[in-house]
Amino acid sequence: MLGVAAVMVPHLIETHQFETYIYVMMVMCIFSTFADVAGDGMIIEISKNEPDSQKGYILTTCQMMRFVTMMVSTGLGTLFMSGKSYQPPEPEPGALKLPFELSYANMHWLLLFASLPFYIGMWIWLKDPPAPEHHEMGCAGFRTAGTRIWTALKSFAIFMLLIQAVGIQAVASMINPANNEIA
């Protein structure tokens, strides 16, 4: 999606289609969320095979790598997106304004090429963890997973989460319809 965004961004900027850019980024965030959750699940599965003397090493290392890559990407954004075209028409006094910058499209390309070695490394070196002894495949596996999910959904904790998410937040987020007109 970074490549798609990098190709589309110049046209989107020329035609002032910010909403389309937001939708492209939304799709990228959805893919990123699926990858993140799958990665967390794989980390947990692999960490089950760690010897007791090293428990938590894989999880800690992965979280440190996530933190470092977030710092690097934030640093790249700060470094290459602090030029003149990223500033408002009248920047605040003392605002960080560097004499160099990357265009929006080139920033997407930079992030894509910075992430490619990790992606290629995953394809080469990442292997599925061994299946548990009584691992069920096919329909039986889905039935077992569905039973476990249904058991979890019937718990008091999930009931309270649903009340909190649907009840309290729905009531708390109700606003006066006139707020838009007032704004």
Side-chain angles (χ1 to χ4, degrees), residues 121-183:
M122 285 188 324
W123 277 98
I124 294 172
W125 293 302
L126 195 61
K127 293 179 176 44
D128 286 335
E133 289 180 25
H134 304 292
H135 183 70
E136 298 174 352
M137 302 287 289
C139 289
F142 279 117
R143 191 176 307 112
T144 302
T147 303
R148 290 179 182 164
I149 290 170
W150 180 244
T151 302
L153 287 174
K154 293 189 296 185
S155 72
F156 184 72
I158 297 295
F159 177 68
M160 297 315 294
L161 281 172
L162 285 172
I163 288 176
Q164 191 266 338
V166 176
I168 295 171
Q169 289 189 5
V171 171
S173 66
M174 291 172 67
I175 60 170
N176 186 338
N179 281 354
N180 288 339
E181 300 303 323
I182 293 169

Side-chain angles (χ1 to χ4, degrees), residues 81-142:
M81 297 176 78
S82 295
K84 183 180 178 183
S85 65
Y86 290 96
Q87 300 294 328
E90 296 177 21
E92 294 179 18
L96 178 62
K97 185 175 175 185
L98 299 176
F100 56 88
E101 66 181 29
L102 286 178
S103 68
Y104 287 105
N106 286 339
M107 195 63 206
H108 287 82
W109 287 119
L110 174 67
L111 291 173
L112 174 64
F113 289 125
S115 63
L116 274 179
F118 297 102
Y119 187 69
I120 292 168
M122 285 188 324
W123 277 98
I124 294 172
W125 293 302
L126 195 61
K127 293 179 176 44
D128 286 335
E133 289 180 25
H134 304 292
H135 183 70
E136 298 174 352
M137 302 287 289
C139 289
F142 279 117

Side-chain angles (χ1 to χ4, degrees), residues 28-130:
M28 187 175 75
C29 285
I30 290 169
F31 289 146
S32 175
T33 302
F34 276 107
D36 190 41
V37 170
D40 286 344
M42 182 165 256
I43 290 168
I44 298 301
E45 287 299 316
I46 290 173
S47 67
K48 289 178 182 177
N49 299 320
E50 281 183 302
D52 288 338
S53 62
Q54 293 182 343
K55 281 290 182 197
Y57 179 78
I58 292 173
L59 183 60
T60 304
T61 303
C62 290
Q63 293 301 324
M64 285 190 305
M65 291 304 300
R66 180 183 292 172
F67 179 72
V68 167
T69 54
M70 289 299 293
M71 283 185 359
V72 168
S73 64
T74 302
L76 289 173
T78 302
L79 182 64
F80 294 117
M81 297 176 78
S82 295
K84 183 180 178 183
S85 65
Y86 290 96
Q87 300 294 328
E90 296 177 21
E92 294 179 18
L96 178 62
K97 185 175 175 185
L98 299 176
F100 56 88
E101 66 181 29
L102 286 178
S103 68
Y104 287 105
N106 286 339
M107 195 63 206
H108 287 82
W109 287 119
L110 174 67
L111 291 173
L112 174 64
F113 289 125
S115 63
L116 274 179
F118 297 102
Y119 187 69
I120 292 168
M122 285 188 324
W123 277 98
I124 294 172
W125 293 302
L126 195 61
K127 293 179 176 44
D128 286 335

